[in-house]
Amino acid sequence: MDDVWDNVEQYSEQSAQEIVAAAIQLIETIRAYTDDVVSMHGETTELPVLTERNQQLAEAVAAFNDRAFLHTGTRPLLLDVLDENPVDA
């Protein structure tokens, strides 16, 4: 988390604005990710773009989770649990 947000008061207008901004960014990142990956065909040349999109999505998810924590004191996305128990498709 950015040090600048360490002193944000829980359930404040500022923390609410930050979670909204993070949610909007996450939605936009999911849309961009989806647009890119649905057009891919599994070619080796697509791997750098896929890797970049994966990183962008991971960062947006983490930012949303951090901002939710600042506002509510909880993390709605249990990322560490998901990492330990991957879901088989």
Side-chain angles (χ1 to χ4, degrees):
M1 243 180 336
D2 300 333
D3 292 335
V4 70
W5 302 114
D6 287 345
N7 296 316
V8 173
E9 186 177 332
Q10 200 173 8
Y11 292 102
S12 67
E13 182 64 28
Q14 183 182 10
S15 68
Q17 290 173 1
E18 286 303 313
I19 193 172
V20 168
I24 290 168
Q25 181 60 49
L26 179 55
I27 291 165
E28 291 172 358
T29 303
I30 290 170
R31 284 183 181 146
Y33 177 91
T34 303
D35 288 346
D36 286 343
V37 300
V38 299
S39 66
M40 293 181 177
H41 304 288
E43 297 172 12
T44 305
T45 57
E46 297 168 330
L47 190 55
V49 172
L50 179 59
T51 301
E52 182 180 340
R53 296 301 176 264
N54 287 346
Q55 182 63 35
Q56 290 169 345
L57 184 55
E59 290 171 3
V61 166
F64 174 80
N65 222 27
D66 289 346
R67 296 306 182 254
F69 181 79
L70 288 175
H71 186 66
T72 67
T74 65
R75 288 190 166 82
L77 305 174
L78 303 175
L79 302 176
D80 55 341
V81 173
L82 293 176
D83 287 342
E84 293 173 8
N85 300 309
V87 176
D88 293 328

